[in-house]
Coordinates of all heavy atoms in Angstrom, one line a residue:
M1 N 9.3 3.0 0.7 CA 10.5 2.4 0.0 C 10.3 0.9 0.0 O 10.0 0.3 1.0 CB 11.8 2.8 0.7 CG 13.0 2.1 0.2 SD 13.7 2.9 -1.3 CE 14.6 4.2 -0.6
L2 N 10.5 0.3 -1.2 CA 10.4 -1.2 -1.3 C 11.7 -1.8 -0.7 O 12.8 -1.3 -0.7 CB 10.4 -1.6 -2.8 CG 9.2 -1.2 -3.6 CD1 9.4 -1.7 -5.0 CD2 8.0 -1.9 -3.0
D3 N 11.4 -2.9 0.0 CA 12.5 -3.7 0.5 C 13.3 -4.3 -0.7 O 13.0 -4.0 -1.9 CB 12.0 -4.8 1.4 CG 11.4 -4.2 2.7 OD1 11.9 -3.2 3.1 OD2 10.4 -4.8 3.2
L4 N 14.2 -5.2 -0.5 CA 14.9 -5.9 -1.5 C 14.0 -6.6 -2.5 O 14.3 -6.7 -3.7 CB 16.0 -6.8 -1.0 CG 17.1 -6.1 -0.2 CD1 18.0 -7.2 0.4 CD2 17.9 -5.2 -1.1
A5 N 12.9 -7.1 -2.0 CA 12.0 -7.8 -2.9 C 10.6 -7.6 -2.4 O 10.4 -7.3 -1.2 CB 12.3 -9.3 -2.9
L6 N 9.6 -7.6 -3.3 CA 8.2 -7.4 -2.9 C 7.4 -8.3 -3.7 O 7.6 -8.4 -5.0 CB 7.8 -5.9 -3.2 CG 6.3 -5.7 -3.1 CD1 5.8 -5.8 -1.6 CD2 5.9 -4.4 -3.7
K7 N 6.5 -9.1 -3.1 CA 5.6 -9.9 -3.8 C 4.2 -9.6 -3.2 O 4.1 -9.6 -2.0 CB 5.9 -11.4 -3.7 CG 4.9 -12.3 -4.4 CD 5.3 -13.7 -4.2 CE 4.3 -14.5 -5.0 NZ 3.4 -15.3 -4.2
T8 N 3.2 -9.4 -4.0 CA 1.9 -9.2 -3.6 C 0.9 -9.8 -4.6 O 1.2 -9.8 -5.8 CB 1.6 -7.7 -3.3 OG1 0.3 -7.6 -2.7 CG2 1.6 -6.9 -4.6
A9 N -0.2 -10.2 -4.1 CA -1.3 -10.7 -5.0 C -2.2 -9.5 -5.3 O -3.2 -9.3 -4.7 CB -2.1 -11.8 -4.2
A10 N -1.7 -8.8 -6.3 CA -2.4 -7.5 -6.7 C -3.8 -7.7 -7.1 O -4.7 -6.8 -6.9 CB -1.6 -6.8 -7.8
A11 N -4.2 -8.8 -7.6 CA -5.5 -9.1 -8.1 C -6.5 -9.3 -6.9 O -7.7 -9.1 -7.1 CB -5.6 -10.3 -9.0
S12 N -6.0 -9.6 -5.7 CA -6.9 -9.9 -4.6 C -6.7 -8.9 -3.4 O -7.3 -9.1 -2.4 CB -6.8 -11.3 -4.2 OG -5.5 -11.6 -3.8
I13 N -5.9 -7.9 -3.6 CA -5.8 -6.9 -2.5 C -7.1 -6.3 -2.2 O -7.8 -5.9 -3.1 CB -4.7 -5.9 -2.8 CG1 -3.3 -6.4 -2.9 CG2 -4.8 -4.7 -1.9 CD1 -2.3 -5.4 -3.3
E14 N -7.5 -6.2 -0.9 CA -8.7 -5.5 -0.6 C -8.5 -4.0 -0.7 O -7.5 -3.4 -0.2 CB -9.1 -5.8 0.9 CG -9.5 -7.2 1.1 CD -10.8 -7.5 0.5 OE1 -11.7 -6.6 0.4 OE2 -11.0 -8.7 0.0
L15 N -9.4 -3.3 -1.5 CA -9.3 -1.9 -1.6 C -10.5 -1.2 -1.0 O -11.7 -1.7 -1.2 CB -9.2 -1.5 -3.1 CG -8.0 -2.0 -3.9 CD1 -8.2 -1.6 -5.4 CD2 -6.7 -1.4 -3.3
E16 N -10.4 -0.1 -0.4 CA -11.5 0.7 0.1 C -12.0 1.6 -1.0 O -11.2 2.5 -1.4 CB -11.1 1.5 1.3 CG -12.2 2.2 2.0 CD -11.8 2.9 3.3 OE1 -11.0 2.4 4.0 OE2 -12.4 4.0 3.5
L17 N -13.2 1.3 -1.5 CA -13.7 2.1 -2.6 C -14.5 3.2 -2.2 O -15.3 3.1 -1.2 CB -14.5 1.2 -3.6 CG -13.8 0.0 -4.2 CD1 -14.8 -0.9 -5.0 CD2 -12.6 0.4 -5.0
E18 N -14.3 4.4 -2.8 CA -15.1 5.6 -2.5 C -15.8 6.1 -3.7 O -15.3 6.0 -4.8 CB -14.2 6.6 -1.9 CG -13.5 6.2 -0.6 CD -12.7 7.3 0.1 OE1 -12.7 8.4 -0.4 OE2 -12.0 6.9 1.1
P19 N -16.9 6.8 -3.6 CA -17.6 7.4 -4.7 C -16.7 8.4 -5.5 O -15.9 9.1 -4.8 CB -18.8 8.1 -4.1 CG -19.0 7.5 -2.8 CD -17.7 7.1 -2.3
V20 N -16.7 8.4 -6.8 CA -16.0 9.4 -7.6 C -16.7 10.7 -7.3 O -17.9 10.9 -7.2 CB -16.1 9.0 -9.1 CG1 -15.6 10.2 -9.9 CG2 -15.4 7.8 -9.4
P21 N -15.8 11.8 -7.0 CA -16.4 13.1 -6.7 C -17.4 13.5 -7.8 O -17.1 13.3 -9.0 CB -15.2 14.0 -6.7 CG -14.0 13.1 -6.3 CD -14.4 11.8 -7.0
A22 N -18.4 14.2 -7.4 CA -19.4 14.7 -8.4 C -18.8 15.5 -9.5 O -19.3 15.5 -10.7 CB -20.5 15.5 -7.7
S23 N -17.7 16.3 -9.2 CA -17.1 17.1 -10.3 C -16.4 16.3 -11.4 O -16.2 16.8 -12.5 CB -16.1 18.0 -9.6 OG -15.0 17.3 -9.0
Q24 N -16.2 15.0 -11.1 CA -15.5 14.1 -12.1 C -16.5 13.1 -12.7 O -16.3 12.5 -13.7 CB -14.4 13.4 -11.5 CG -13.2 14.2 -11.2 CD -12.1 13.4 -10.6 OE1 -12.0 13.2 -9.4 NE2 -11.2 12.8 -11.4
R25 N -17.6 12.8 -11.9 CA -18.5 11.7 -12.3 C -19.3 12.2 -13.5 O -19.9 13.3 -13.6 CB -19.4 11.4 -11.1 CG -20.3 10.2 -11.4 CD -21.1 9.8 -10.1 NE -21.8 10.9 -9.6 CZ -21.6 11.4 -8.3 NH1 -20.7 10.9 -7.6 NH2 -22.3 12.4 -7.9
L26 N -19.3 11.3 -14.6 CA -20.1 11.7 -15.8 C -21.3 10.8 -16.0 O -22.3 11.3 -16.6 CB -19.1 11.5 -17.0 CG -17.9 12.4 -17.0 CD1 -17.0 12.1 -18.2 CD2 -18.3 13.9 -17.0
S27 N -21.3 9.5 -15.5 CA -22.4 8.7 -15.6 C -22.3 7.5 -14.6 O -21.2 7.2 -14.2 CB -22.7 8.1 -17.0 OG -21.7 7.2 -17.4
G28 N -23.4 7.0 -14.2 CA -23.5 5.9 -13.3 C -23.0 6.4 -11.9 O -23.1 7.5 -11.5
E29 N -22.6 5.4 -11.0 CA -22.2 5.6 -9.7 C -20.8 5.0 -9.5 O -20.7 4.2 -8.6 CB -23.2 5.1 -8.7 CG -24.6 5.7 -8.7 CD -24.6 7.2 -8.3 OE1 -23.8 7.5 -7.4 OE2 -25.4 7.9 -8.8
P30 N -19.8 5.4 -10.3 CA -18.5 4.7 -10.2 C -17.9 5.0 -8.8 O -18.0 6.1 -8.2 CB -17.7 5.3 -11.3 CG -18.3 6.7 -11.6 CD -19.8 6.5 -11.3
R31 N -17.1 4.0 -8.4 CA -16.3 4.1 -7.1 C -14.9 3.7 -7.5 O -14.7 2.9 -8.4 CB -16.9 3.2 -6.1 CG -18.3 3.5 -5.7 CD -19.0 2.4 -4.8 NE -18.4 2.3 -3.5 CZ -18.6 3.1 -2.5 NH1 -19.4 4.1 -2.6 NH2 -18.0 2.9 -1.3
T32 N -14.0 4.3 -6.8 CA -12.5 4.0 -7.1 C -11.8 3.8 -5.7 O -12.3 4.2 -4.7 CB -11.8 5.2 -7.8 OG1 -11.8 6.3 -7.0 CG2 -12.4 5.4 -9.2
G33 N -10.7 3.1 -5.8 CA -9.9 2.8 -4.7 C -8.5 2.6 -5.1 O -8.2 2.1 -6.2
T34 N -7.5 3.0 -4.2 CA -6.1 2.8 -4.5 C -5.4 2.4 -3.3 O -5.7 2.8 -2.2 CB -5.5 4.2 -4.9 OG1 -6.3 4.8 -6.0 CG2 -4.1 4.1 -5.3
V35 N -4.3 1.6 -3.5 CA -3.4 1.3 -2.4 C -2.0 1.4 -3.0 O -1.7 0.9 -4.1 CB -3.6 -0.1 -1.8 CG1 -3.4 -1.2 -2.8 CG2 -2.8 -0.3 -0.6
A36 N -1.2 2.2 -2.3 CA 0.2 2.3 -2.7 C 1.0 1.1 -2.2 O 0.8 0.8 -1.0 CB 0.8 3.6 -2.2
L37 N 1.8 0.5 -3.0 CA 2.6 -0.6 -2.5 C 4.0 -0.2 -2.1 O 4.7 -0.9 -1.4 CB 2.7 -1.7 -3.6 CG 1.3 -2.2 -4.1 CD1 1.5 -3.2 -5.3 CD2 0.6 -2.9 -2.9
G38 N 4.5 0.9 -2.7 CA 5.9 1.4 -2.4 C 6.3 2.2 -3.5 O 5.5 2.7 -4.3
D39 N 7.6 2.5 -3.6 CA 8.2 3.3 -4.7 C 9.4 2.6 -5.2 O 10.0 1.8 -4.6 CB 8.5 4.7 -4.2 CG 9.6 4.8 -3.2 OD1 10.0 3.8 -2.6 OD2 10.0 5.9 -2.9
F40 N 9.7 3.0 -6.5 CA 10.8 2.5 -7.2 C 11.3 3.6 -8.1 O 10.6 4.2 -8.9 CB 10.3 1.3 -8.1 CG 11.4 0.7 -8.9 CD1 12.4 -0.1 -8.4 CD2 11.5 0.9 -10.3 CE1 13.4 -0.7 -9.1 CE2 12.5 0.4 -11.0 CZ 13.4 -0.4 -10.5
A41 N 12.6 3.9 -7.9 CA 13.3 4.9 -8.8 C 12.5 6.2 -8.8 O 12.4 6.9 -9.9 CB 13.6 4.4 -10.2
G42 N 11.9 6.6 -7.7 CA 11.2 7.9 -7.6 C 9.8 7.8 -8.0 O 9.1 8.8 -8.0
S43 N 9.3 6.7 -8.4 CA 7.9 6.5 -8.9 C 7.1 5.7 -7.9 O 7.7 4.7 -7.3 CB 7.8 5.9 -10.3 OG 8.4 6.7 -11.2
E44 N 5.8 6.0 -7.7 CA 5.0 5.1 -6.9 C 4.4 3.9 -7.6 O 4.1 4.0 -8.8 CB 3.8 6.0 -6.4 CG 2.8 5.2 -5.5 CD 1.7 6.1 -5.0 OE1 1.9 6.8 -4.0 OE2 0.6 6.0 -5.7
I45 N 4.4 2.8 -7.0 CA 3.8 1.6 -7.5 C 2.6 1.3 -6.7 O 2.6 1.4 -5.4 CB 4.8 0.4 -7.4 CG1 6.0 0.7 -8.2 CG2 4.1 -0.9 -7.9 CD1 7.1 -0.3 -7.9
G46 N 1.5 1.0 -7.3 CA 0.2 0.7 -6.6 C -0.8 0.0 -7.4 O -0.6 -0.4 -8.5
V47 N -1.9 -0.2 -6.8 CA -3.1 -0.9 -7.4 C -4.3 0.1 -7.3 O -4.5 0.7 -6.3 CB -3.4 -2.2 -6.6 CG1 -4.7 -2.9 -7.2 CG2 -2.3 -3.2 -6.6
W48 N -5.0 0.2 -8.4 CA -6.2 1.1 -8.5 C -7.3 0.3 -9.1 O -7.1 -0.6 -10.0 CB -5.8 2.2 -9.5 CG -6.9 3.2 -9.7 CD1 -7.2 4.3 -9.0 CD2 -7.8 3.3 -10.9 NE1 -8.2 5.0 -9.6 CE2 -8.6 4.4 -10.7 CE3 -7.9 2.5 -12.0 CZ2 -9.6 4.8 -11.6 CZ3 -8.9 2.8 -12.9 CH2 -9.7 3.9 -12.7
E49 N -8.5 0.6 -8.7 CA -9.7 -0.1 -9.2 C -10.8 0.9 -9.4 O -11.0 1.9 -8.6 CB -10.1 -1.2 -8.2 CG -11.3 -2.0 -8.7 CD -11.6 -3.1 -7.8 OE1 -10.8 -4.1 -7.8 OE2 -12.6 -3.1 -7.0
M50 N -11.7 0.7 -10.4 CA -12.8 1.5 -10.7 C -14.0 0.6 -11.0 O -13.8 -0.3 -11.8 CB -12.6 2.5 -11.8 CG -13.8 3.4 -12.1 SD -13.4 4.6 -13.5 CE -15.0 5.1 -13.9
T51 N -15.1 0.9 -10.4 CA -16.4 0.1 -10.7 C -17.1 0.7 -11.9 O -16.7 1.8 -12.4 CB -17.3 0.1 -9.5 OG1 -17.7 1.4 -9.2 CG2 -16.6 -0.6 -8.3
P52 N -18.1 0.1 -12.5 CA -18.7 0.6 -13.7 C -19.3 2.0 -13.6 O -19.8 2.4 -12.5 CB -19.8 -0.4 -14.0 CG -19.3 -1.7 -13.5 CD -18.5 -1.3 -12.2
G53 N -19.1 2.7 -14.7 CA -19.5 4.1 -14.7 C -18.5 4.9 -15.6 O -17.6 4.3 -16.2
A54 N -18.7 6.2 -15.6 CA -17.7 7.1 -16.3 C -17.3 8.3 -15.5 O -18.1 8.8 -14.7 CB -18.4 7.5 -17.6
M55 N -16.0 8.6 -15.7 CA -15.5 9.8 -15.0 C -14.4 10.5 -15.8 O -13.8 9.9 -16.7 CB -14.9 9.4 -13.7 CG -13.6 8.5 -13.8 SD -12.8 8.0 -12.2 CE -11.8 9.5 -12.0
S56 N -14.2 11.8 -15.5 CA -13.2 12.5 -16.2 C -11.9 12.5 -15.3 O -12.1 12.4 -14.1 CB -13.6 13.9 -16.5 OG -13.9 14.6 -15.3
D57 N -10.8 12.7 -15.9 CA -9.5 12.8 -15.1 C -8.5 13.6 -15.9 O -8.6 13.8 -17.1 CB -9.0 11.4 -14.9 CG -8.1 11.3 -13.7 OD1 -8.0 12.3 -12.9 OD2 -7.4 10.3 -13.5
V58 N -7.5 14.1 -15.2 CA -6.3 14.7 -15.8 C -5.2 13.8 -15.3 O -5.0 13.6 -14.1 CB -6.1 16.2 -15.3 CG1 -4.8 16.7 -15.9 CG2 -7.3 17.0 -15.7
E59 N -4.4 13.3 -16.3 CA -3.5 12.2 -16.0 C -2.1 12.8 -15.5 O -1.8 13.9 -15.8 CB -3.2 11.4 -17.2 CG -4.5 10.7 -17.8 CD -5.2 9.8 -16.8 OE1 -4.5 9.2 -15.9 OE2 -6.4 9.7 -16.9
A60 N -1.4 11.9 -14.8 CA 0.0 12.0 -14.5 C 0.8 11.1 -15.4 O 0.2 10.3 -16.0 CB 0.2 11.7 -13.0
D61 N 2.1 11.3 -15.5 CA 2.9 10.3 -16.2 C 2.7 9.0 -15.5 O 2.9 8.8 -14.3 CB 4.4 10.7 -16.2 CG 4.7 11.8 -17.1 OD1 4.0 12.0 -18.1 OD2 5.7 12.5 -16.9
E62 N 2.3 7.9 -16.3 CA 2.0 6.7 -15.7 C 2.1 5.6 -16.7 O 1.7 5.7 -17.9 CB 0.5 6.7 -15.1 CG 0.0 5.4 -14.6 CD -1.5 5.5 -14.2 OE1 -2.1 6.6 -14.3 OE2 -2.0 4.5 -13.8
V63 N 2.6 4.4 -16.2 CA 2.5 3.1 -17.0 C 1.6 2.2 -16.1 O 1.8 2.2 -14.9 CB 3.9 2.5 -17.2 CG1 3.8 1.1 -17.8 CG2 4.8 3.4 -18.0
F64 N 0.7 1.5 -16.8 CA -0.1 0.5 -16.0 C -0.4 -0.7 -16.8 O -0.3 -0.7 -18.0 CB -1.4 1.2 -15.5 CG -2.4 1.6 -16.5 CD1 -3.3 0.6 -17.0 CD2 -2.5 2.9 -16.9 CE1 -4.3 1.0 -17.9 CE2 -3.5 3.3 -17.8 CZ -4.4 2.3 -18.3
V65 N -0.7 -1.8 -16.0 CA -1.1 -3.1 -16.6 C -2.4 -3.4 -16.1 O -2.7 -3.4 -14.9 CB -0.1 -4.2 -16.2 CG1 -0.6 -5.5 -16.8 CG2 1.3 -3.9 -16.7
V66 N -3.4 -3.6 -17.0 CA -4.7 -4.0 -16.6 C -4.7 -5.4 -16.1 O -4.3 -6.3 -16.9 CB -5.7 -3.8 -17.7 CG1 -7.1 -4.2 -17.3 CG2 -5.8 -2.3 -18.2
L67 N -5.2 -5.7 -14.9 CA -5.2 -7.0 -14.3 C -6.6 -7.7 -14.7 O -6.6 -8.9 -15.0 CB -5.1 -7.0 -12.8 CG -3.8 -6.5 -12.3 CD1 -3.8 -6.5 -10.8 CD2 -2.6 -7.4 -12.8
S68 N -7.6 -6.9 -14.6 CA -9.0 -7.5 -14.9 C -9.9 -6.4 -15.2 O -9.7 -5.2 -15.0 CB -9.5 -8.2 -13.6 OG -9.6 -7.4 -12.5
G69 N -11.1 -6.8 -15.8 CA -12.1 -5.8 -16.1 C -12.0 -5.3 -17.6 O -11.2 -5.8 -18.4
A70 N -12.9 -4.4 -17.9 CA -13.0 -3.8 -19.2 C -13.5 -2.4 -19.2 O -14.3 -2.0 -18.3 CB -13.9 -4.7 -20.1
G71 N -13.0 -1.7 -20.2 CA -13.5 -0.3 -20.3 C -12.8 0.4 -21.4 O -12.1 -0.2 -22.3
T72 N -12.9 1.8 -21.4 CA -12.2 2.6 -22.4 C -11.6 3.8 -21.8 O -12.1 4.2 -20.7 CB -13.2 3.0 -23.5 OG1 -14.2 3.9 -23.0 CG2 -13.8 1.9 -24.3
V73 N -10.6 4.4 -22.4 CA -10.1 5.7 -22.1 C -10.2 6.5 -23.3 O -9.6 6.1 -24.3 CB -8.6 5.6 -21.5 CG1 -8.1 7.0 -21.3 CG2 -8.5 4.8 -20.3
E74 N -10.9 7.6 -23.2 CA -11.0 8.6 -24.3 C -10.2 9.8 -24.0 O -10.2 10.3 -22.9 CB -12.5 9.0 -24.5 CG -12.7 10.0 -25.6 CD -14.1 10.5 -25.7 OE1 -15.0 9.9 -25.1 OE2 -14.3 11.6 -26.4
F75 N -9.4 10.2 -25.0 CA -8.5 11.3 -24.9 C -9.3 12.6 -25.5 O -9.5 12.6 -26.6 CB -7.2 11.1 -25.6 CG -6.5 9.9 -25.0 CD1 -6.7 8.6 -25.5 CD2 -5.6 10.1 -24.0 CE1 -6.1 7.5 -24.9 CE2 -4.9 9.0 -23.4 CZ -5.2 7.8 -23.9
E76 N -9.6 13.5 -24.6 CA -10.4 14.7 -24.9 C -9.8 15.5 -26.0 O -10.5 16.0 -26.9 CB -10.7 15.5 -23.7 CG -11.6 14.9 -22.7 CD -12.1 15.8 -21.6 OE1 -12.2 17.0 -21.9 OE2 -12.3 15.3 -20.5
E77 N -8.4 15.6 -26.0 CA -7.8 16.5 -27.0 C -7.9 15.9 -28.4 O -8.0 16.7 -29.4 CB -6.3 16.6 -26.7 CG -6.0 17.5 -25.4 CD -6.1 16.6 -24.1 OE1 -6.3 15.4 -24.2 OE2 -5.8 17.2 -23.1
T78 N -7.8 14.6 -28.6 CA -7.8 14.0 -29.9 C -9.1 13.3 -30.3 O -9.4 13.0 -31.5 CB -6.7 13.0 -30.1 OG1 -6.9 11.9 -29.1 CG2 -5.3 13.6 -29.8
G79 N -9.9 13.0 -29.3 CA -11.1 12.2 -29.5 C -10.9 10.7 -29.7 O -11.8 9.9 -29.9
E80 N -9.6 10.3 -29.6 CA -9.3 8.9 -29.8 C -9.7 8.1 -28.5 O -9.7 8.7 -27.4 CB -7.8 8.7 -29.9 CG -7.2 9.3 -31.2 CD -5.7 9.1 -31.3 OE1 -5.2 8.0 -31.0 OE2 -5.1 10.1 -31.7
T81 N -10.1 6.9 -28.7 CA -10.6 6.0 -27.6 C -9.7 4.7 -27.6 O -9.5 4.1 -28.7 CB -12.1 5.7 -27.8 OG1 -12.8 6.9 -27.7 CG2 -12.5 4.8 -26.7
M82 N -9.2 4.4 -26.5 CA -8.4 3.2 -26.3 C -9.3 2.1 -25.5 O -9.8 2.4 -24.4 CB -7.2 3.6 -25.5 CG -6.2 2.4 -25.2 SD -4.9 3.0 -24.1 CE -4.2 4.4 -25.0
L83 N -9.4 0.9 -26.1 CA -10.1 -0.2 -25.4 C -9.1 -0.7 -24.3 O -7.9 -0.9 -24.6 CB -10.5 -1.3 -26.3 CG -11.5 -0.9 -27.4 CD1 -11.7 -2.1 -28.4 CD2 -12.9 -0.5 -26.7
L84 N -9.7 -1.1 -23.1 CA -8.9 -1.6 -22.1 C -9.4 -3.0 -21.7 O -10.6 -3.2 -21.5 CB -8.9 -0.8 -20.8 CG -8.3 0.7 -21.0 CD1 -8.5 1.4 -19.7 CD2 -6.9 0.6 -21.4
G85 N -8.5 -4.0 -21.5 CA -8.8 -5.3 -21.0 C -7.6 -5.9 -20.4 O -6.5 -5.4 -20.5
A86 N -7.9 -7.1 -19.7 CA -6.8 -7.7 -19.0 C -5.6 -8.0 -19.9 O -5.7 -8.4 -21.0 CB -7.3 -9.1 -18.5
G87 N -4.4 -7.6 -19.3 CA -3.2 -7.8 -20.0 C -2.7 -6.6 -20.7 O -1.5 -6.6 -21.1
D88 N -3.5 -5.6 -20.9 CA -3.1 -4.4 -21.7 C -2.1 -3.6 -20.9 O -2.2 -3.5 -19.6 CB -4.2 -3.5 -22.0 CG -5.1 -4.1 -23.1 OD1 -4.7 -5.0 -23.8 OD2 -6.3 -3.7 -23.2
V89 N -1.1 -3.1 -21.5 CA 0.0 -2.2 -20.9 C -0.2 -0.9 -21.6 O -0.3 -0.8 -22.8 CB 1.4 -2.7 -21.2 CG1 2.4 -1.8 -20.6 CG2 1.6 -4.1 -20.6
V90 N -0.4 0.2 -20.8 CA -0.7 1.5 -21.3 C 0.3 2.5 -20.7 O 0.6 2.5 -19.5 CB -2.2 1.9 -20.9 CG1 -2.5 3.3 -21.3 CG2 -3.1 0.8 -21.4
L91 N 0.6 3.5 -21.5 CA 1.4 4.7 -21.1 C 0.5 5.9 -21.2 O 0.0 6.2 -22.3 CB 2.7 4.8 -22.0 CG 3.4 6.1 -21.8 CD1 4.1 6.2 -20.5 CD2 4.5 6.2 -22.9
L92 N 0.4 6.7 -20.1 CA -0.3 7.9 -20.1 C 0.7 9.0 -19.8 O 1.6 8.8 -19.1 CB -1.4 8.0 -19.1 CG -2.5 6.9 -19.3 CD1 -3.5 7.0 -18.1 CD2 -3.3 7.2 -20.6
R93 N 0.4 10.2 -20.4 CA 1.3 11.4 -20.2 C 0.6 12.4 -19.3 O -0.6 12.7 -19.4 CB 1.7 12.0 -21.5 CG 2.5 11.1 -22.4 CD 3.9 10.9 -21.8 NE 4.7 10.1 -22.7 CZ 5.9 9.7 -22.4 NH1 6.3 9.9 -21.2 NH2 6.6 9.0 -23.3
E94 N 1.4 13.1 -18.5 CA 1.0 14.1 -17.6 C 0.2 15.2 -18.4 O 0.6 15.6 -19.4 CB 2.1 14.8 -16.8 CG 1.7 15.8 -15.8 CD 2.9 16.3 -15.0 OE1 4.0 15.8 -15.1 OE2 2.6 17.2 -14.2
G95 N -0.9 15.6 -17.8 CA -1.7 16.6 -18.4 C -2.8 16.2 -19.4 O -3.7 17.0 -19.8
Q96 N -2.7 14.9 -19.9 CA -3.8 14.4 -20.8 C -5.1 14.4 -20.1 O -5.2 14.0 -18.9 CB -3.4 13.0 -21.2 CG -2.3 12.9 -22.2 CD -2.0 11.5 -22.6 OE1 -1.9 10.6 -21.8 NE2 -1.8 11.3 -23.9
R97 N -6.1 15.0 -20.7 CA -7.5 15.0 -20.2 C -8.2 13.8 -20.8 O -8.3 13.6 -22.0 CB -8.2 16.3 -20.6 CG -7.4 17.5 -20.0 CD -8.1 18.8 -20.3 NE -9.4 19.0 -19.7 CZ -9.6 19.2 -18.4 NH1 -8.5 19.4 -17.6 NH2 -10.8 19.3 -17.9
T98 N -8.7 13.0 -19.9 CA -9.3 11.7 -20.3 C -10.7 11.5 -19.7 O -11.1 12.1 -18.7 CB -8.4 10.5 -19.8 OG1 -8.3 10.6 -18.4 CG2 -7.1 10.5 -20.5
I99 N -11.4 10.6 -20.4 CA -12.7 10.1 -19.9 C -12.6 8.6 -19.8 O -12.4 7.9 -20.8 CB -13.9 10.5 -20.8 CG1 -14.0 12.0 -20.8 CG2 -15.2 9.9 -20.3 CD1 -15.0 12.5 -21.8
W100 N -12.7 8.1 -18.5 CA -12.7 6.7 -18.3 C -14.1 6.2 -18.2 O -14.9 6.7 -17.4 CB -12.0 6.4 -16.9 CG -10.6 6.6 -16.9 CD1 -9.9 7.9 -16.9 CD2 -9.5 5.7 -16.9 NE1 -8.6 7.7 -16.9 CE2 -8.3 6.3 -16.8 CE3 -9.5 4.3 -16.8 CZ2 -7.1 5.7 -16.8 CZ3 -8.3 3.6 -16.8 CH2 -7.1 4.3 -16.8
T101 N -14.4 5.1 -19.1 CA -15.7 4.5 -19.1 C -15.5 3.0 -18.8 O -14.9 2.3 -19.6 CB -16.5 4.7 -20.4 OG1 -16.6 6.1 -20.6 CG2 -17.8 4.0 -20.3
V102 N -15.9 2.6 -17.6 CA -15.7 1.2 -17.2 C -17.0 0.4 -17.3 O -18.0 0.8 -16.8 CB -15.1 1.2 -15.7 CG1 -15.1 -0.3 -15.2 CG2 -13.8 1.8 -15.7
T103 N -16.9 -0.7 -18.0 CA -18.1 -1.6 -18.2 C -18.1 -2.8 -17.3 O -19.1 -3.3 -17.0 CB -18.2 -2.0 -19.7 OG1 -17.0 -2.6 -20.1 CG2 -18.5 -0.8 -20.6
Q104 N -16.9 -3.2 -16.9 CA -16.7 -4.3 -15.9 C -15.6 -3.8 -15.0 O -14.5 -3.4 -15.5 CB -16.2 -5.6 -16.6 CG -17.2 -6.2 -17.6 CD -16.6 -7.4 -18.3 OE1 -15.4 -7.8 -18.1 NE2 -17.4 -8.1 -19.1
T105 N -15.8 -3.9 -13.7 CA -14.9 -3.4 -12.7 C -13.4 -3.6 -13.2 O -13.0 -4.8 -13.5 CB -15.1 -4.0 -11.3 OG1 -16.4 -3.6 -10.9 CG2 -14.1 -3.5 -10.3
L106 N -12.7 -2.5 -13.3 CA -11.3 -2.5 -13.8 C -10.3 -2.4 -12.7 O -10.4 -1.5 -11.9 CB -11.2 -1.4 -14.8 CG -9.9 -1.4 -15.7 CD1 -10.3 -1.3 -17.2 CD2 -9.0 -0.3 -15.3
R107 N -9.3 -3.2 -12.7 CA -8.2 -3.2 -11.8 C -6.9 -3.1 -12.5 O -6.7 -3.9 -13.5 CB -8.2 -4.4 -10.8 CG -7.1 -4.3 -9.8 CD -7.2 -5.4 -8.7 NE -8.3 -5.0 -7.8 CZ -8.2 -5.3 -6.5 NH1 -7.2 -5.9 -6.0 NH2 -9.2 -4.9 -5.7
K108 N -6.0 -2.2 -12.1 CA -4.7 -2.1 -12.7 C -3.6 -2.0 -11.7 O -3.8 -1.5 -10.5 CB -4.7 -0.9 -13.6 CG -4.8 0.5 -12.9 CD -4.8 1.6 -13.9 CE -4.8 3.0 -13.1 NZ -4.8 4.1 -14.0
V109 N -2.4 -2.3 -12.1 CA -1.2 -2.1 -11.3 C -0.5 -0.9 -12.1 O -0.3 -1.0 -13.3 CB -0.3 -3.3 -11.3 CG1 1.1 -2.9 -10.6 CG2 -0.9 -4.4 -10.5
Y110 N -0.1 0.1 -11.3 CA 0.4 1.3 -12.0 C 1.8 1.7 -11.4 O 2.1 1.3 -10.3 CB -0.5 2.5 -11.8 CG -0.7 3.0 -10.4 CD1 0.2 3.9 -9.8 CD2 -1.7 2.5 -9.6 CE1 0.1 4.3 -8.5 CE2 -1.9 2.9 -8.3 CZ -0.9 3.8 -7.8 OH -1.1 4.2 -6.4
I111 N 2.6 2.3 -12.2 CA 3.8 3.0 -11.8 C 3.7 4.4 -12.3 O 3.5 4.7 -13.5 CB 5.0 2.3 -12.4 CG1 5.1 0.9 -12.1 CG2 6.3 3.1 -12.0 CD1 6.2 0.1 -12.8
A112 N 3.7 5.3 -11.3 CA 3.5 6.8 -11.6 C 4.4 7.7 -10.8 O 4.7 7.3 -9.7 CB 2.0 7.2 -11.4

């Protein structure tokens, strides 16, 4: 639970990165890490990072802001691809099947 106020330097939080499981890894040797910062109105707030490579995922309801890095999210159902870069705000819906391709280590703050 968040206290009355929370301030954190999300761009510089140390994250423990682990290899993406083989069942999700599509190319390269991507690693991911997450730290939960707390919750707000029933949703988790946290920081997530992925190093270069590609992986598949099934999304939860989520809003995020890209802090740094670059990549794409491809939506398997439609074939549409969304470019990601610093400052982008994105809404994902539960159940969407995606392919994340990161070209520069990508860090985001999420609410899910």
